[in-house]
Amino acid sequence: MGHMEPSEASELLSTGDWAYVDVRTVEEFNAGHVKGSVNIPVVFFTEEGMVANANFMKELREAVPERNRSIIMGCKSGKR
């Protein structure tokens, strides 16, 4: 779908038909996040650099098991 304005995301989330998945790091999520969102980091920052979360899809299926539920994914910059 691409970029979405916060007001549009808020409207969709208010319907209850959408889930918000925050793909930022745990530290970023803990600093502030959308109410009711689920945190599933898409990458982890390590001493070696960014490392992909190998369990991302498994964690996503567990967090949002309803196959008919639409998902909004958000991060800090829109590039993750």
Side-chain angles (χ1 to χ4, degrees), residues 24-36:
R24 298 176 300 157
T25 64
V26 172
E27 295 80 13
E28 291 171 315
F29 183 80
N30 288 340
H33 55 271
V34 172
K35 183 179 178 181

Side-chain angles (χ1 to χ4, degrees), residues 8-23:
E8 184 180 2
S10 179
E11 186 177 321
L12 291 172
L13 291 169
S14 71
T15 67
D17 297 330
W18 291 72
Y20 191 96
V21 176
D22 188 319
V23 299

